[in-house]
Amino acid sequence: MTSGNSPLLELDDVVVEYPGKGRGRKPFRVLHGVSLSVAPGETLGLVGESGSGKTTLGRAVLGLAPVTRGTVRFEGRTVSGLGKRERRALSKDIQVVFQDPYTSLNPAMSVMDILTEPLLVTGVARADAERRVQKLLDHVYLPQDAARRLPREFSGGQRQRIAIARALCRDPKLIVCDEPVSALDLTTQARVLDLFIEIQEATGVAYLFVTHDLSVVRHISHRVAVLYRGDIVETGDAVQVTERPEHPYTKGLLLAAPVPDPQRQAQRRSERLKLRAS
Amino acid sequence: MLAFLLRRIAAGAVLVVVVATATFLLLSLTGTDVARNILGETASASAVAAKSRELGLDQPLVERYWHWAEQALQGNLGSSWFTGDSVSQSLTDTLPVTLSIVLAGMVIAAVLSVALGTAAALRGGWVDRAVQFGAVLGTAVPSFLIALVLAVTLAVRLGWLPATGYVALGTSPGGWLRSITLPALSLAVAATAATAMQVRGALIDILRADFVRTLRSRGLTTRSVVYRHALRNAAPPALTVLALQFIGLIGGAVVVEKVFGLPGIGTLANSAAVRGDAPVLLGTVVVTVVIVVAVNLLLDVAYGWLNPKVRVS
Amino acid sequence: MTPVDSVAPAASAAAPERDRLLRRSLRDPVAVVCLLVLALVIAVSLGAPLLTDHAPDRSVLADTLAPMSATHPLGGDGVGRDVLSRLLYGGRTSLLGGTLAVLVAFAVGAPLGLVSGFYRGWFDAVAGWTVNVIMAVPAIIVMFVVMAAVSQDLNVAMIVLGVIMAPMVFRLIRASVLAVREELYVDAARVSGLGDARIIRRHVLPVVIAPSVIQATQVFAVAIGIQAGLAFLGLGKASQASWGAMLGDAFTNVYNAPVLLVWPGAAMGLTILASSMLGNAVRDALGTAEPRVVRRREPVARKAAAAVAELPADRLLTVEGLRVAYGEKTVVDGVNLTVARGEVLGLVGESGSGKSQTAFSVLGLLPYEAGVTADHLVFDGKELLALDLAALNALRGRGIGYIPQEPMSNLDPCFRIGSQLVEPMRKHLGLSRAEARTKALDLLERVGIPDPERVFRSYPHQISGGMAQRVLIAGAVSCDPQLLIADEPTTALDVTVQAEVLDLMRSLQQERHMGMILVTHDFGVVADICDRVAVMQKGRIVETAPARQIFASPGHAYTRMLLDSTLEGGPARGALHVPSKPVKEVTS
């Protein structure tokens, strides 16, 4: 928990609205005043179903979604509503790994170009940048010759490793992970999650980990926040939220996820039907 | 739907006003002395001044514009500087000719493009390659070059169809059809080529779509899947392309009319352009834009009718 | 593999892509011929003074319609000018005009399209509206006005034409930029701290260049055509020799000397064709060509000559020795499986294991390129391999129902949901329209849709994903099939919706005693609904066993590995211990 340390990221009553289509239409409110915090080195799992606003919340932190009301603070400084130039300066500290490993890498650029880009923009010499990229590839367990290849030559899991390496380029303090393992196969999913944990333990980076999957969130998070239709309905310790949830929505969510064991699943099913009936 | 229509009509009206105003201003920019131009080098200075007064050219620009706009709203588009003929009357006389060949061209293009595009998408192989090659040729070669070839071979050489002249529909339906066949065909080539490629591409995509597999899984016949479901889905994008072609068809008609000696608005505009007859040119521009707006409106309605996402929302 | 260090560090990825494009274009003989034709036209036009002594606009009365001769290789025209000279000098007019139009169209259209697409907002709105105004009037009529008002010079006219054609460029560039802008990698670049200018240069421009080249060839061809049209109609200065004016002159003499039409017509046709076919060749080289069509026929699996063995009475489906290949690549490699009546078989595997391909083979629903063979595909006593298309269609939907993965993309967007349900029932069950309607409404109610009447009348885009999946399930069971094939039926759904859909599938399956093949990657779903499980890896079934046994004591190492990878029920990470170490560099 945040014991003693001041939070790294703080969201205070954040509202995100998109303008309605056509003139005079009511704006569409995706987040209705969300507050949460992430401590340095911590993983906050953000769970929700489609339409809950979880991806929008991540994008608001990244400055890719408009914060209509409330504030996003990073290291105590308000970063919502910054100008383009100031926002760019933040890119050193806040990074991202997206869900889709196929569209998040420019298909026309080599892995080396993709990974050196964030470094070169800050004026690092190319030779230094390339040395650093080689080390990064090691850290995400990609072969050395990966640098010269194009993204399409890699599998989904490997592409996600490239995306992780890009996020790590400039030693950020926070990485927003938007469903980074949802598009991956089960075995790959486990390996990529373990890589996330390994990196966190080595570097002390914090994650805001957005996902729809309670078992993923349980595996990687220290704390969990549950988002339902633009509101946070429950926040707490990962063990507690994924085992003994308090909010009825979280309870339903937990019971709806099928477990890989016929007997326990039959039990879970009857519990769920009971909960629904009540 | 009604609100949508009204909005489109209003937008169309604004478009007509903007284009008319811009054209008026552009035509007023001409540096030459219009009255001198009309009367020729030998005319006396006083005669030129009198002509200028007669045409209202001595008035300030804004006044002339208001006068023209006022009259135009009442359906009077002024008179030719050179012949004195009423522009509205000239347009009424020539419009049926142009509309005949352009609309006939659109119908030919619609029918042929669906047939060719479907054949290419379904048959593949040499049929597909032939259609694709034809489409490249068809879109590239200007319609008046095609018209010249058709006129020289089919009309002048072989004498199958008249090489020149227009027969009004009211006078003789058969003659009308014979007189517009070659011009309409020449115009239809480019529109057919572009639309056929759209139909082909859309059909190929749709036949690979998930819902087509599901339709087949339900045991529906190939005929129902292709001709009822897939073609229906290919129709909206094809219509969009066809609508874009309409403007091109009017442009093409201007030159094609000359090849076939048809007294359409293209011929009218052509002689006006050569002489610098501003009121006639202005009139043709206004009428052309009105027609384009009207046809686009019709196609919008058809598009909405074909595409449930637009119709019901 | 050469060590990475030896890679030239300055090489950016976009450059080799572009070089490859050029080289690939040059390997295409069509492109080479087009380039040669254009080069020839350029050469003879520029070299006109060397190739002929005649001035293009000098008329000699005696040479009127002169025949071909040594002094006038192509003869004289209607007013006694040398045809060859006019042809060569006319080429200059066409090439210059086309080039001017292309340059102006791109100079105006490209930056505006870039800004409009990238920044959207009011600028985009204004630019879009202006473009609509320009495009509402046929270009040639605008040219009439301009030439009447401003200048009769064809070159001035072509500059104006460039402006009129700028909207074509504008729309293309704007659409390309809009598409790139939505890509996640542009978001990633933004988060990486790249400014707009750099994002445009690195991520947007490379995407725009190739379509621009293609567009330029089209604009060039169209401009030459319009210029010729104008000259043909008698506009332009008499001193400016042009192919269009030649055509006009030839046309007035069409009865006396039709051959005069041939030279300018052929020159113009060739130039225009070479230009646009060159564009097409570039498109081909880019790989963005129109997709090739594989000849459309239903893939019918080939049958090996083996007799059907005696099958147990409750056997619904028998698959033996199923192989699916795409060219050289085998994706299903000798699969055997069976489904009994009323039994749910889970077909489990990771992506690329061939599980969906196996399921589709049973329905004969694989893409046309697939090569399907099997020793046996026996459904309800019928050898599916022996059926013709009509017989297969009689079985699809009627004997075997299919539930797809993505609810929204599996309903025909142009038809009401009711009509999509009614059509198969009328075909298979011979129901009248009214009977089918009643049955469809009952079905919609059965699958848990609250307002069947409304959904019956709705289009697919008007209902939610969960609702659409219920509609698809209703469609799958509408003709009372004995076997259901469900391909990842809940993967695209939220967990809460997934649970309800699984409940529905289970109850329908039990109520109607249907057999079912459930393709999934999720062992939770398997545990929820399956009686037996077949585990697939790389096109083969590695293990088949009752569901309880698979979970309790998996037999195959691969099954064990899959089960071990599930996070469900694993230990939680626990609370964060106060970070003892400061944030440090990965590489330190």
Side-chain angles (χ1 to χ4, degrees):
Chain A
M1 325 227 121
T2 62
S3 52
N5 286 31
S6 58
L8 181 70
L9 177 76
E10 255 185 308
L11 270 67
D12 187 16
D13 194 26
V14 166
V15 171
V16 173
E17 277 175 354
Y18 285 105
K21 282 189 183 134
R23 236 167 297 141
R25 300 280 172 85
K26 267 214 304 214
F28 181 62
R29 187 172 278 204
V30 187
L31 294 178
H32 311 130
V34 168
S35 303
L36 54 79
S37 69
V38 182
E42 181 188 44
T43 302
L44 175 71
L46 189 64
V47 190
E49 294 192 290
S50 52
S52 64
K54 57 185 190 302
T55 293
T56 306
L57 199 153
R59 292 179 70 85
V61 171
L62 292 165
L64 298 172
V67 176
T68 322
R69 210 183 68 201
T71 49
V72 178
R73 277 191 297 276
F74 185 78
E75 295 187 314
R77 194 162 73 94
T78 300
V79 297
S80 45
L82 283 185
K84 274 185 182 170
R85 190 175 300 274
E86 295 152 304
R87 182 77 225 181
R88 238 180 283 155
L90 262 183
S91 64
K92 187 194 170 321
D93 293 327
I94 306 183
Q95 274 304 319
V96 67
V97 176
F98 287 114
Q99 167 176 10
D100 188 345
Y102 292 88
T103 58
S104 67
L105 305 172
N106 188 337
M109 286 166 72
S110 71
V111 170
M112 178 60 87
D113 281 334
I114 290 170
L115 294 181
T116 49
E117 185 169 66
L119 294 168
L120 296 177
V121 76
T122 58
V124 176
R126 186 173 284 275
D128 294 338
E130 289 183 358
R131 260 196 303 283
R132 168 134 180 92
V133 166
Q134 289 301 341
K135 284 185 191 159
L136 279 169
L137 288 176
D138 267 354
H139 281 270
V140 297
Y141 303 107
L142 282 172
Q144 283 294 308
D145 69 337
R148 292 179 305 137
R149 286 150 60 184
L150 293 170
R152 64 162 172 268
E153 299 173 55
F154 296 91
S155 68
Q158 287 174 317
R159 287 177 196 222
Q160 218 48 324
R161 288 170 192 273
I162 298 169
I164 293 171
R166 173 174 58 191
L168 289 173
C169 256
R170 293 170 61 194
D171 297 308
K173 293 176 182 151
L174 173 73
I175 300 182
V176 175
C177 309
D178 185 9
E179 300 252 22
V181 297
S182 303
L184 306 179
D185 270 327
L186 220 55
T187 47
T188 321
Q189 200 172 58
R191 283 197 292 269
V192 172
L193 281 180
D194 287 339
L195 176 65
F196 270 111
I197 292 176
E198 185 189 318
I199 287 169
Q200 185 166 55
E201 283 167 358
T203 65
V205 65
Y207 296 140
L208 176 63
F209 201 97
V210 176
T211 180
H212 69 278
D213 189 333
L214 275 176
S215 58
V216 166
V217 100
R218 180 180 159 85
H219 188 80
I220 195 162
S221 310
H222 301 108
R223 283 190 310 127
V224 175
V226 182
L227 201 59
Y228 177 61
R229 296 192 180 167
D231 282 305
I232 289 193
V233 295
E234 181 163 5
T235 317
D237 185 88
V239 180
Q240 179 250 313
V241 173
T242 56
E243 284 174 16
R244 303 175 300 279
E246 282 164 9
H247 194 276
Y249 172 73
T250 321
K251 281 183 192 161
L253 202 61
L254 181 66
L255 291 177
V259 285
D261 178 335
Q263 253 159 349
R264 272 177 49 221
Q265 173 55 20
Q267 202 182 329
R268 190 173 261 207
R269 188 165 63 219
S270 60
E271 274 176 49
R272 175 171 55 82
L273 295 176
K274 231 182 293 164
L275 178 80
R276 204 177 57 179
S278 66
Chain B
M1 192 67 194
L2 189 67
F4 168 78
L5 269 184
L6 287 176
R7 238 191 351 262
R8 298 307 305 241
I9 290 173
V14 172
L15 187 76
V16 173
V17 171
V18 168
V19 171
T21 309
T23 311
F24 188 96
L25 291 178
L26 201 59
L27 284 170
S28 311
L29 282 179
T30 170
T32 52
D33 185 343
V34 176
R36 164 70 62 194
N37 229 351
I38 296 167
L39 295 175
E41 294 300 321
T42 52
S44 66
S46 60
V48 168
K51 188 77 188 171
S52 227
R53 238 187 337 275
E54 182 197 324
L55 297 176
L57 292 174
D58 53 345
Q59 304 286 320
L61 185 61
V62 180
E63 216 147 294
R64 270 157 55 203
Y65 175 71
W66 277 123
H67 178 70
W68 178 84
E70 205 175 48
Q71 292 293 310
L73 279 177
Q74 297 164 29
N76 174 15
L77 290 166
S79 318
S80 161
W81 282 346
F82 290 83
T83 62
D85 293 344
S86 152
V87 174
S88 305
Q89 188 55 47
S90 304
L91 287 169
T92 319
D93 293 343
T94 52
L95 200 55
V97 182
T98 306
L99 283 183
S100 294
I101 62 172
V102 168
L103 293 180
M106 286 286 277
V107 171
I108 295 172
V111 173
L112 277 185
S113 61
V114 171
L116 291 172
T118 312
L122 295 183
R123 302 294 296 276
W126 69 267
V127 178
D128 186 29
R129 279 195 297 277
V131 169
Q132 286 197 61
F133 184 72
V136 174
L137 293 194
T139 36
V141 178
S143 52
F144 83 95
L145 205 57
I146 297 169
L148 277 175
V149 172
L150 289 182
V152 171
T153 54
L154 298 187
V156 175
R157 277 284 153 108
L158 299 169
W160 291 354
L161 287 159
T164 55
Y166 174 74
V167 180
L169 180 59
T171 316
S172 150
W176 173 77
L177 202 59
R178 283 166 57 80
S179 69
I180 66 164
T181 301
L182 288 182
L185 266 180
S186 336
L187 288 177
V189 171
T192 306
T195 317
M197 286 309 281
Q198 174 62 43
V199 170
R200 173 189 176 276
L203 262 188
I204 290 174
D205 286 347
I206 290 162
L207 287 172
R208 286 178 185 167
D210 287 350
F211 72 83
V212 165
R213 184 169 57 203
T214 301
L215 289 171
R216 286 167 60 211
S217 83
R218 304 277 191 257
L220 300 187
T221 56
T222 308
R223 210 178 56 200
S224 168
V225 171
V226 172
Y227 295 102
R228 190 170 133 87
H229 290 274
L231 262 189
R232 180 71 175 63
N233 276 276
L239 198 65
T240 307
V241 171
L242 197 61
L244 274 178
Q245 296 299 318
F246 179 77
I247 298 169
L249 244 64
I250 293 194
V254 171
V255 197
V256 168
E257 280 171 12
K258 159 118 176 181
V259 174
F260 290 101
L262 301 176
I265 54 170
T267 309
L268 186 70
N270 184 13
S271 52
V274 173
R275 284 192 299 221
D277 197 344
V280 178
L281 265 183
L282 188 53
T284 38
V285 169
V286 170
V287 165
T288 313
V289 178
V290 169
I291 291 172
V292 168
V293 166
V295 167
N296 277 338
L297 198 67
L298 278 178
L299 287 167
D300 271 347
V301 172
Y303 186 87
W305 179 72
L306 278 173
N307 189 345
K309 281 189 193 166
V310 177
R311 184 169 18 133
V312 219
S313 51
Chain C
M1 291 264 148
T2 41
V4 179
D5 296 333
S6 68
V7 176
S12 95
E17 280 281 305
R18 248 183 323 245
D19 289 351
R20 227 176 301 154
L21 173 65
L22 189 68
R23 247 181 294 132
R24 256 184 299 172
S25 304
L26 286 180
R27 229 178 292 143
D28 183 354
V30 177
V32 175
V33 171
C34 292
L35 281 173
L36 285 179
V37 169
L38 288 178
L40 182 74
V41 174
I42 293 170
V44 297
S45 303
L46 293 181
L50 304 174
L51 295 170
T52 176
D53 296 331
H54 299 281
D57 54 349
R58 185 166 162 270
S59 59
V60 177
L61 207 56
D63 288 337
T64 304
L65 298 183
M68 296 183 204
S69 65
T71 37
H72 299 296
L74 295 180
D77 75 357
V79 286
R81 295 169 295 198
D82 181 64
V83 172
L84 178 65
S85 163
R86 286 180 67 71
L87 193 65
L88 298 179
Y89 283 96
R92 290 182 164 193
T93 311
S94 283
L95 293 175
L96 179 62
T99 310
L100 280 175
V102 168
L103 290 179
V104 173
F106 274 86
V108 176
L112 292 183
L114 211 58
V115 173
S116 257
F118 199 76
Y119 293 102
R120 309 290 308 275
W122 64 267
F123 186 90
D124 187 33
V126 172
W129 191 82
T130 314
V131 160
N132 282 344
V133 172
I134 295 177
M135 289 180 88
V137 195
I140 200 151
I141 297 207
V142 183
M143 303 309 295
F144 279 178
V145 173
V146 169
M147 292 185 85
V150 183
S151 161
Q152 287 278 328
D153 190 319
L154 278 178
N155 291 332
V156 175
M158 286 299 106
I159 290 172
V160 176
L161 183 65
V163 176
I164 297 172
M165 290 176 79
M168 283 169 65
V169 179
F170 170 87
R171 287 193 165 181
L172 172 84
I173 304 265
R174 178 178 173 276
S176 311
V177 173
L178 273 181
V180 179
R181 214 180 80 119
E182 299 300 319
E183 294 282 356
L184 279 179
Y185 62 76
V186 171
D187 279 340
R190 236 185 260 284
V191 175
S192 293
L194 269 70
D196 288 346
R198 210 173 166 112
I199 288 178
I200 289 176
R201 200 173 67 231
R202 297 266 299 183
H203 295 280
V204 177
L205 280 183
V207 179
V208 169
I209 285 172
S212 297
V213 171
I214 299 165
Q215 178 83 297
T217 62
Q218 287 167 349
V219 171
F220 186 75
V222 172
I224 289 182
I226 289 186
Q227 185 197 47
L230 288 170
F232 175 77
L233 291 177
L235 286 105
K237 287 193 267 194
S239 59
Q240 240 165 350
S242 73
W243 293 340
M246 290 179 76
L247 282 172
D249 172 73
F251 188 62
T252 53
N253 295 297
V254 67
Y255 289 95
N256 309 324
V259 71
L260 286 181
L261 278 171
V262 172
W263 317 120
M268 195 175 107
L270 266 182
T271 311
I272 287 177
L273 271 185
S275 174
S276 58
M277 304 235 341
L278 183 65
N280 232 43
V282 173
R283 195 195 308 264
D284 282 345
L286 267 178
T288 51
E290 296 290 330
R292 271 183 210 293
V293 184
V294 186
R295 207 182 150 74
R296 301 250 155 214
R297 58 180 163 70
E298 299 278 331
V300 179
R302 273 181 294 116
K303 179 196 175 189
V308 185
E310 259 321 279
L311 296 172
D314 71 336
R315 176 68 59 79
L316 188 58
L317 178 75
T318 308
V319 177
E320 269 176 35
L322 176 70
R323 285 192 162 71
V324 181
Y326 292 84
E328 294 291 293
K329 197 165 176 257
T330 303
V331 293
V332 176
D333 192 6
V335 159
N336 302 324
L337 55 83
T338 63
V339 181
R341 288 174 200 280
E343 181 189 43
V344 181
L345 173 75
L347 198 53
V348 191
E350 295 197 290
S351 52
S353 62
K355 53 189 193 301
S356 294
Q357 299 283 319
T358 302
F360 285 143
S361 319
V362 176
L363 279 162
L365 283 183
L366 285 173
Y368 301 96
E369 306 87 62
V372 184
T373 61
D375 299 332
H376 289 298
L377 262 177
V378 182
F379 168 75
D380 198 20
K382 283 189 282 282
E383 179 59 83
L384 294 180
L385 302 170
L387 299 182
D388 63 5
L389 183 57
L392 192 61
N393 270 334
L395 203 68
R396 286 175 180 162
R398 182 74 178 94
I400 310 177
Y402 164 65
I403 304 174
Q405 170 173 359
E406 278 285 339
M408 292 320 275
S409 66
N410 276 289
L411 288 167
D412 185 336
C414 284
F415 286 76
R416 290 179 199 273
I417 283 164
S419 110
Q420 300 188 45
L421 287 173
V422 162
E423 194 181 355
M425 285 196 279
R426 296 198 62 195
K427 184 193 174 216
H428 288 304
L429 309 178
L431 300 182
S432 71
R433 197 175 291 275
E435 289 165 341
R437 183 190 150 84
T438 313
K439 185 154 191 224
L441 288 171
D442 288 348
L443 273 169
L444 288 174
E445 190 161 8
R446 173 64 191 86
V447 297
I449 282 169
D451 188 354
E453 285 278 357
R454 189 183 62 80
V455 169
F456 187 91
R457 269 180 284 120
S458 297
Y459 284 96
H461 72 272
Q462 295 173 294
I463 61 173
S464 72
M467 212 62 107
Q469 193 61 313
R470 288 171 193 274
V471 167
L472 284 161
I473 292 174
V477 302
S478 65
C479 300
D480 310 308
Q482 295 156 279
L483 177 68
L484 272 184
I485 292 183
D487 178 32
E488 302 259 14
T490 58
T491 306
L493 306 175
D494 276 329
V495 264
T496 45
V497 182
Q498 160 173 294
E500 287 165 16
V501 167
L502 285 173
D503 287 346
L504 170 66
M505 285 171 60
R506 184 185 313 97
S507 71
L508 278 170
Q509 181 262 330
Q510 287 168 353
E511 177 183 302
R512 299 168 176 227
H513 199 61
M514 288 181 290
M516 177 149 91
I517 296 180
L518 183 97
V519 175
T520 182
H521 67 282
D522 187 336
F523 277 101
V525 171
V526 171
D528 189 65
I529 193 169
C530 295
D531 300 315
R532 252 175 354 113
V533 184
V535 181
M536 279 191 82
Q537 182 193 18
K538 293 179 183 161
R540 293 169 191 271
I541 291 187
V542 297
E543 178 173 11
T544 309
R548 275 168 199 278
Q549 190 186 324
I550 282 274
F551 290 102
S553 54
H556 195 275
Y558 181 69
T559 314
R560 268 197 299 280
M561 190 193 75
L562 283 183
L563 282 168
D564 287 346
S565 313
T566 54
L567 302 166
E568 183 58 55
R573 183 145 178 220
L576 172 70
H577 303 290
V578 179
S580 49
K581 38 197 168 180
V583 174
K584 63 173 189 176
E585 278 213 11
V586 172
T587 47
S588 55

